[in-house]
């Protein structure tokens, strides 16, 4: 039972409340004298949530009734734990019904001030109403992508260490197609709820674009996050019921522990997004951490990515291309070269493409960079034509470039600007392209092959669906990855594989290029197969264009 509040207690409550309000920066403030269950709330909160007045008895119970029924349990448990002294602060995100009857997401942070004997004296805190800022995802009620970036920028600005997880469920498009859009929405709502429950006040949940969700946490350690993630994943794998249908979604998760603040929110997002794709595409949903798992270099990786990303905006300053000769397998004359991207900077030194391309290729900045690579390589190639008229320049593509609607037009435009004949250009695509809709890829290839551009399938055999891709699309050349020929001199299995690969290529009318020739021995044995061209350190490492122009390989032609 609440006791009557005295004038002195009310005076104390008011002065504390005002002190609190001064530092609350636009959030609502509440302060409760626990013994009397008498509290004061900001007038703006009273207005937004149609509360009885600034001074209330029993405000906690009133407030709880406004909380979304799905969020009440988590709220109650959190408050109870706070009063029992098991936790010291209350930091929870939940939905509250406003004056108009709509649920808005609020973040509530509160704490208890106690008497010397430990009894609670005041319960006070701040409530941030996210509904006011247009930062709410209408479907799930969660904070949206804008809010995610706003919060992330805030953490970076105050250099606060945080952990971020990006999650999604696989096969969501399939769910939409089979059960319809409405059902798909129910699944997303259920998933949002599931995440809120599992985070339980230890972080803030966001819905990013489409089916991606994120959690930013300032409190628990990385190992605990991993454990929690695994629990959620196992639970979903075992199956959940949504509207009478039994689903077994696969969860994917990219993770990043942010402890370097000399980067911006976009770089953090790009790296997190990359870790998420790795989890989805290559790790069957195991949590992939951006830092420790992907590089031995450790903590400066994010900063390096930031510098590389920024180079795109600075007119590609720091990027350059090296060219690795491709020679005829028998006459060893120079047929062309493959353009390979590098990045260099006074502080970080030379950075190989494997470090940054997989991260950048999903980033919007890659559109500009991809164009720059193509244009630069085509301009250089043009210079070789007077020496070798059929010189072919091979340029690597990322699947995101092919996805761009303007891709075909861009190639046409660049051919015109640079004056390179289309048949001297060969575009290399990798099996990562299986992520694309095969019919889209086919249309792009047909369009460009029509005008004479050639295509090569890079790293043949390293992915899951080489055969499928070779069968569906028509390649001029198949490039066999060096991992298949490293031990070709001794390994009879490798030899047998190579025979199969060359047979497949000839079935589909494609030429074969073998990569990674390092020794005379390799060359000699490989010349006995149906192979058309070679590329490898034995002939030359990737070199600057000036050096290639001087290369002794040219004199062989
Ligand atoms: P890739 O297209 O398969 O390129 C061949 C890679 O093998 C190059 O590595 C090359 O330096 C290396 N290599 C060639 N011969 C030998 C050899 O005899 N021994 C060994 N150990 N390695 C050899 P690099 O330049 O580090 O490129 C790695 C990958 O990065 C490329 O593999 C390609 O997938 C990607 N990449 C490079 N440049 C670009 C680009 O401009 N755009 C895109 N999208 N990807 C690129
Ligand atoms: Mg290549
Ligand atoms: Mg390759």
């Amino acid at each position: 039972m609440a006791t009557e509040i005295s004038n002195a207690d009310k005076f104390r409550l008011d002065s504390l409340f005002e002190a609190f309000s001064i530092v609350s920066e636009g959030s609502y403030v509440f302060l409760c004298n626990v013994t009397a269950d008498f509290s004061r709330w900001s007038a703006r909160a009273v207005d937004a949530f149609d509360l009885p007045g600034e001074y209330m008895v029993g405000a906690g119970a009133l407030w709880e009734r406004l909380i979304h029924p799905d969020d009440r349990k988590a709220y109650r448990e959190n408050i109870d734990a706070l009063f029992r002294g098991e936790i010291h602060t209350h930091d929870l995100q939940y939905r509250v019904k406003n004056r108009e009857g709509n649920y808005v997401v609020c973040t509530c942070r509160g704490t208890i001030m106690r008497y010397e004997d430990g009894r609670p004296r005041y319960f006070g805190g701040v409530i941030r109403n996210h509904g006011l800022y247009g930062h709410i995802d209408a479907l799930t009620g969660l904070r949206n992508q804008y809010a995610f970036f706003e919060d992330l920028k805030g953490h970076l600005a105050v250099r606060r260490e945080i952990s971020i997880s990006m999650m999604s469920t696989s096969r969501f498009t399939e769910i939409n197609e089979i059960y319809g859009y409405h059902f798909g929405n129910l699944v997303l709502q259920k998933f949002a709820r599931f995440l809120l429950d599992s985070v339980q006040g230890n972080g803030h949940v966001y819905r990013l674009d489409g089916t991606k969700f994120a959690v930013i946490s300032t409190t628990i350690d990385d190992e605990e996050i991993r454990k929690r993630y695994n629990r959620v994943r196992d639970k979903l794998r075992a199956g959940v019921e949504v509207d009478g249908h039994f689903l077994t979604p696969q969860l994917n998760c990219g993770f990043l522990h942010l402890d370097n603040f000399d980067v911006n929110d976009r770089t953090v997002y790009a790296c997190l997004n990359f870790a998420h794709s790795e989890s989805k595409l290559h790790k069957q949903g195991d949590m992939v951490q951006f830092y420790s798992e992907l590089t031995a270099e450790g903590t400066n990786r994010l900063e390096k990515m930031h510098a590389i990303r920024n180079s795109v905006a600075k007119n590609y300053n720091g990027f350059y291309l090296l060219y690795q000769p491709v020679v005829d397998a028998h006459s060893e004359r120079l047929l062309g070269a493959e353009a390979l991207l590098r990045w260099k900077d006074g502080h970080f030194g030379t950075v190989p493409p494997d470090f940054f391309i997989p991260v950048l290729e999903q980033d919007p900045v890659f559109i500009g960079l991809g164009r720059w690579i193509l244009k630069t390589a085509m301009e250089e190639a043009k210079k070789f034509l007077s020496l070798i008229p059929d010189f072919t320049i091979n340029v690597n593509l990322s699947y995101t470039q092919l996805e761009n609607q303007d891709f075909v037009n861009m190639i046409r435009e660049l051919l015109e600007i640079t004056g390179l004949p289309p048949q001297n250009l060969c575009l290399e695509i990798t099996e990562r392209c299986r992520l694309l809709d095969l019919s889209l890829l086919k249309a792009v290839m047909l369009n460009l092959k029509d005008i004479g551009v050639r295509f090569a399938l890079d790293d043949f055999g390293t992915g899951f669906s080489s055969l499928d891709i070779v069968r569906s699309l028509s390649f001029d050349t198949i490039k066999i990855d060096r991992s298949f020929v490293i031990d070709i001199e001794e390994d009879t299995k490798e030899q047998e594989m190579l025979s199969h690969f060359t047979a497949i290529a000839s079935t589909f009318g494609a030429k074969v290029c073998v990569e990674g020739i390092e020794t005379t021995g390799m060359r000699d044995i490989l010349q006995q197969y149906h192979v058309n061209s070679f590329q490898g350190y034995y002939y030359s490492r990737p070199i600057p264009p000036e050096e290639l122009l001087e290369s002794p390989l040219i004199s062989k032609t």
Side-chain angles (χ1 to χ4, degrees):
M1 264 309 280
T3 54
E4 192 80 7
I5 190 154
S6 69
N7 277 342
D9 278 341
K10 180 162 180 298
F11 177 78
R12 250 181 241 123
L13 182 90
D14 279 340
S15 43
L16 245 179
F17 182 88
E18 265 130 38
F20 244 151
S21 303
I22 291 168
V23 293
S24 71
E25 288 174 25
S27 300
Y28 310 135
V29 174
F30 65 92
L31 186 65
C32 175
N33 174 316
V34 178
T35 325
D37 195 5
F38 178 82
S39 45
R40 183 166 167 196
W41 286 56
S42 298
R44 286 182 303 117
V46 173
D47 190 45
F49 299 102
D50 202 15
L51 299 170
E54 282 181 60
Y55 293 95
M56 289 177 276
V57 174
L62 258 171
W63 182 246
E64 196 166 332
R65 279 201 290 279
L66 293 177
I67 294 177
H68 193 290
D70 284 349
D71 299 349
R72 258 179 231 157
K73 184 166 161 275
Y75 170 81
R76 173 77 353 241
E77 285 172 2
N78 198 270
I79 293 281
D80 288 347
L82 183 70
F83 273 83
R84 282 196 303 268
E86 290 161 15
I87 54 173
H88 297 295
T89 53
H90 157 82
D91 181 357
L92 205 61
Q93 199 179 31
Y94 49 76
R95 291 162 291 182
V96 190
K97 197 190 274 183
N98 65 13
R99 181 181 282 276
E100 289 77 38
N102 301 319
Y103 282 103
V104 288
V105 172
C106 292
T107 300
C108 178
R109 296 200 171 97
T111 189
I112 290 194
M113 289 155 264
R114 296 176 188 275
Y115 287 106
E116 276 164 12
D117 63 7
R119 278 179 304 125
R121 185 172 189 184
Y122 293 108
F123 172 38
V126 292
I127 297 170
R128 191 166 159 83
N129 178 355
H130 301 301
L132 295 180
Y133 305 96
H135 281 173
I136 294 302
D137 170 52
L139 179 67
T140 57
L142 291 177
R143 309 253 289 134
N144 63 15
Q145 196 164 21
Y146 301 107
F148 174 81
F149 281 111
E150 185 186 83
D151 290 359
L152 182 53
K153 275 189 264 189
H155 292 304
L156 283 167
V158 298
R159 305 177 84 79
R160 185 183 292 124
E161 207 167 314
I162 53 172
S163 298
I164 322 174
S165 331
M166 180 189 279
M167 278 166 278
S168 71
T169 56
S170 288
R171 298 187 293 268
F172 187 78
T173 331
E174 220 171 278
I175 291 178
N176 259 341
E177 274 165 14
I178 299 173
Y179 301 109
Y181 187 69
H182 172 69
F183 181 75
N185 283 348
L186 284 181
V187 173
L188 289 177
Q189 281 168 335
K190 180 118 184 172
F191 185 53
R193 183 67 250 148
F194 208 81
L195 280 181
L196 277 171
D197 278 348
S198 55
V199 167
Q200 285 258 0
N202 283 307
H204 292 174
V205 184
Y206 306 80
R207 180 178 177 213
L208 305 176
D209 58 333
T211 60
K212 279 185 195 150
F213 291 80
V215 177
I216 296 185
S217 162
T218 48
T219 48
I220 39 181
D221 65 76
D222 296 354
E223 236 358 84
E224 180 61 27
I225 291 178
R226 188 180 290 275
K227 271 193 214 143
R228 278 173 195 238
Y229 169 72
N230 287 340
R231 270 204 298 274
V232 172
R233 182 167 76 144
D234 293 346
K235 217 160 153 183
L236 287 179
R237 263 190 189 158
V240 281
E241 203 224 87
V242 182
D243 208 24
H245 296 285
F246 188 71
L247 304 175
T248 51
Q250 177 189 295
L251 203 56
N252 312 297
C253 181
F255 179 76
L256 190 150
H257 186 118
L258 186 68
D259 52 8
N260 185 324
F261 310 102
D262 300 317
V263 299
N264 69 7
D265 52 320
R266 296 286 156 177
T267 302
V268 172
Y269 186 85
C271 296
L272 187 63
N273 199 25
F274 167 68
H276 169 265
S277 310
E278 288 294 302
S279 161
K280 181 171 171 178
L281 302 173
H282 305 298
K283 301 280 183 220
Q284 283 88 42
D286 285 353
M287 181 189 264
V288 172
Q289 183 164 359
F290 184 74
Y291 277 174
S292 51
E293 285 180 16
L294 303 174
T295 175
E297 289 193 47
T299 51
N300 71 1
R301 180 162 192 196
L302 197 62
E303 220 178 314
K304 215 191 249 184
M305 274 315 304
H306 185 61
I308 295 172
R309 226 183 148 266
N310 276 353
S311 292
V312 177
K314 290 186 207 140
N315 214 11
Y316 310 104
N317 191 15
F319 288 106
Y320 60 99
L321 295 177
L322 293 183
Y323 297 84
Q324 188 178 34
V326 177
V327 303
D328 183 281
H330 300 281
S331 69
E332 298 183 317
R333 85 176 179 99
L334 186 75
L335 298 175
E338 176 173 6
L340 294 158
L341 185 63
R342 297 287 181 271
W343 182 84
K344 193 175 174 178
D345 157 273
H347 179 61
F348 292 107
T350 306
V351 182
D354 285 337
F355 178 86
F356 58 87
I357 287 183
V359 179
L360 285 190
E361 71 181 358
Q362 293 172 53
D363 190 313
V365 300
F366 204 85
I367 304 275
L369 181 60
R371 186 181 194 277
W372 179 87
I373 294 168
L374 278 156
K375 184 162 179 275
T376 311
M378 286 159 79
E379 278 165 354
E380 282 306 336
K382 183 85 193 309
K383 299 181 191 160
F384 285 85
L385 296 187
S386 55
L387 291 171
I388 309 169
D390 60 354
F391 182 91
T392 302
I393 184 74
N394 281 32
V395 185
N396 292 285
L397 293 182
S398 289
Y399 70 95
T400 33
Q401 287 173 281
L402 288 151
E403 223 170 22
N404 190 316
Q405 287 192 340
D406 279 337
F407 183 73
V408 172
N409 286 337
M410 180 189 71
I411 297 287
R412 284 173 186 270
E413 182 210 336
L414 291 179
L415 287 167
E416 210 175 295
I417 297 176
T418 59
L420 185 77
Q423 57 277 13
N424 295 78
L425 175 66
C426 177
L427 299 175
E428 291 193 8
I429 65 178
T430 64
E431 287 176 45
R432 277 173 81 86
C433 293
R434 72 178 185 280
L435 301 174
L436 284 176
D437 179 20
L438 223 53
S439 55
L440 174 114
L441 195 55
K442 208 169 183 168
V444 170
M445 281 177 64
L446 281 178
N447 249 306
L448 291 174
K449 280 174 84 80
D450 241 16
I451 57 167
V453 175
R454 294 165 203 268
F455 280 88
L457 178 61
D458 203 358
D459 305 334
F460 180 76
T462 56
F464 295 115
S465 48
S466 308
L467 261 184
D468 204 31
I469 290 195
V470 176
R471 214 173 39 162
S472 327
L473 308 167
S474 95
F475 287 98
D476 298 277
T477 304
I478 283 170
K479 296 187 77 170
I480 295 174
D481 191 65
R482 57 182 282 271
S483 58
F484 291 103
V485 293
I486 286 178
D487 297 316
I488 195 87
E489 290 171 72
E490 301 92 43
D491 191 333
T492 50
K493 279 213 189 74
E494 274 190 7
Q495 295 169 5
E496 206 169 312
M497 289 256 271
L498 190 68
S499 316
H500 291 309
F501 286 170
T502 55
I504 290 168
S506 82
T507 309
F508 294 101
K511 290 185 174 164
V512 174
C513 172
V514 179
E515 299 184 90
I517 315 291
E518 290 186 352
T519 61
T520 335
M522 282 173 90
R523 177 200 65 182
D524 293 345
I525 188 159
L526 284 163
Q527 279 179 336
Q528 295 162 27
Y529 293 82
H530 289 289
V531 170
N532 305 83
S533 54
F534 287 152
Q535 191 180 334
Y537 292 173
Y538 173 69
Y539 294 102
S540 168
R541 287 185 176 252
I543 47 176
E546 315 79 67
E547 222 174 289
L548 182 61
L549 272 170
E550 304 290 313
S551 164
L553 291 164
I554 291 198
S555 52
K556 285 202 175 202
T557 58

